[in-house]
Amino acid sequence: MGLLDQKFENENIVITNLEDLLNWSRLSSLWQVGFGLACCAIEMMATSASHYDFDRFGVIPRPSPRQSDIIIISGTVTLKMATRVKRLYEQIPDPKYVISMGSCANCGGPYWEHGYHVLKGVDRIIPVDVYVPGCPPRPEALLEGLLKLQDKIRNESLVRNAS
């Protein structure tokens, strides 16, 4: 045991650095804009319902992109909706994150072969941080995608190196 361990052993004091504290606070309170476009939106709503309870992971739905940190794109993105998706993404303040949910949002799904109007992946218009596979993915898959995003946020650095 070191000197500090003995001194703070019976006290409720946590010693950490500022970067870890900021990352912990950011990953523990993600405000999301849900953007449901198709059947994946039903699974996204089920994730927010009481059985899976998205809120216990610190994900709080917000109706405005200006007050959000994350956007979950769930479902087929048509070319007509692509401009709206991009506009919503641009309204989210930095740092912002994107979860692409379902094979339609990831790569166009089964519709892009038979329709000229389907975007072949939302990453063609906005950067995606986490892809959630499936058609439609179960709520457990979305929760796993959220945990991966939280790991990414945990390891980020907001401080620039001077060197």
Side-chain angles (χ1 to χ4, degrees), residues 3-144:
L3 178 65
L4 291 178
D5 293 335
Q6 292 174 358
K7 188 173 183 178
F8 301 116
E9 187 173 287
N10 294 327
E11 304 294 329
N12 292 325
I13 295 175
V14 176
I15 298 173
T16 185
N17 58 20
L18 180 62
E19 188 171 275
D20 288 345
L21 180 67
L22 289 175
N23 285 343
W24 173 78
S25 64
R26 289 187 317 125
L27 70 90
S28 300
S29 62
L30 291 170
W31 293 11
Q32 66 134 359
V33 173
F35 200 71
L37 296 166
C39 48
C40 290
I42 297 169
E43 299 294 332
M44 184 177 67
M45 287 185 272
T47 309
S48 296
S50 60
H51 188 71
Y52 294 100
D53 197 13
F54 223 16
D55 293 350
R56 67 188 160 120
F57 293 95
V59 178
I60 302 167
R62 296 295 300 176
S64 171
R66 293 182 181 93
Q67 300 169 342
S68 300
D69 305 312
I70 177 175
I71 185 167
I72 300 173
I73 306 294
S74 59
T76 309
V77 181
T78 60
L79 295 177
K80 188 174 184 180
M81 290 303 293
T83 56
R84 279 94 176 164
V85 169
K86 187 170 183 171
R87 183 178 303 151
L88 279 176
Y89 174 77
E90 290 171 349
Q91 290 177 351
I92 298 173
D94 287 327
K96 51 191 165 189
Y97 306 98
V98 176
I99 293 179
S100 176
M101 179 181 177
S103 61
C104 291
N106 291 344
C107 62
Y111 304 110
W112 72 269
E113 289 181 8
H114 307 293
Y116 60 91
H117 61 289
V118 176
L119 189 69
K120 296 177 185 175
V122 74
D123 57 351
R124 292 178 182 245
I125 55 170
I126 57 175
V128 175
D129 296 298
V130 174
Y131 293 92
V132 177
C135 184
R138 299 267 313 144
E140 295 92 348
L142 181 57
L143 289 175
E144 183 180 348

